[in-house]
Amino acid sequence: MKTSTAHAVWEGRIRDGKGTMKLDQGGYEGPYTFASRFEQGKGTSPEELIGAAHAGCFSMALSGGLTRAGFTPTRIQTDAVVYLDQVDGGFGISKIELTTEAEVPGIEEAAFQQEAQTAKQNCPVSKALAAVNIELTARLVNK
């Protein structure tokens, strides 16, 4: 079984403390603070990293589905917007918007949309986030 590890350290109180998050394989290490999570401060947030993971997972799942269907995607670009809202007296991720643009020679729009919906439903990160409303906008941009 493949495992992935990440680390986080938090020092201090919630509002004026600070932390760092690090991916075990060295792909990312950076700071996070109350301001970077709940306001517009410098640094990252757990939700931003979830968005990056979801965008990456979805893009790979879409590529896999398209490949299995006999198409060779040239490029898939996905953005994820993660909404952190006050929910039930605390905070929660209320919605994730995935927006993808893909260049896939030879595919019809309907087949592309079906593959995109299947990828949204079946990528491992989407499955892990099943309690969250996940919206998808998929655009085919063949030249």
Side-chain angles (χ1 to χ4, degrees):
M1 169 184 4
K2 167 74 170 100
T3 63
S4 298
T5 304
H7 308 276
V9 175
W10 184 262
E11 298 170 337
R13 298 181 304 180
I14 185 70
R15 285 211 176 257
D16 58 1
K18 63 183 182 190
T20 58
M21 291 185 276
K22 178 182 177 184
L23 305 182
D24 212 26
Q25 294 183 355
Y28 172 81
E29 181 174 0
Y32 72 115
T33 63
F34 182 89
S36 70
R37 188 169 192 196
F38 297 105
E39 299 167 352
Q40 297 300 319
K42 289 186 178 184
T44 192
S45 70
E47 293 75 26
E48 186 174 42
L49 296 175
I50 287 170
H54 202 177
C57 184
F58 171 83
S59 293
M60 289 182 76
L62 180 55
S63 177
L66 290 165
T67 300
R68 284 187 297 280
F71 300 98
T72 302
T74 303
R75 184 171 188 272
I76 299 169
Q77 176 181 320
T78 304
D79 297 320
V81 178
V82 179
Y83 290 79
L84 179 66
D85 294 308
Q86 269 193 298
V87 181
D88 300 326
F91 285 89
I93 296 174
S94 59
K95 177 172 67 170
I96 298 174
E97 293 175 344
L98 296 174
T99 303
T100 194
E101 289 186 351
E103 187 176 335
V104 188
I107 195 169
E108 296 293 324
E109 181 70 26
F112 170 71
Q113 291 298 329
Q114 179 59 49
E115 291 297 335
Q117 288 298 322
T118 299
K120 179 189 108 170
Q121 294 168 355
N122 293 319
C123 90
V125 174
S126 287
K127 288 180 178 182
L129 298 171
V132 177
N133 176 27
I134 300 170
E135 298 178 2
L136 173 64
T137 303
R139 198 171 118 215
L140 186 60
V141 290
N142 286 339
K143 297 175 183 174

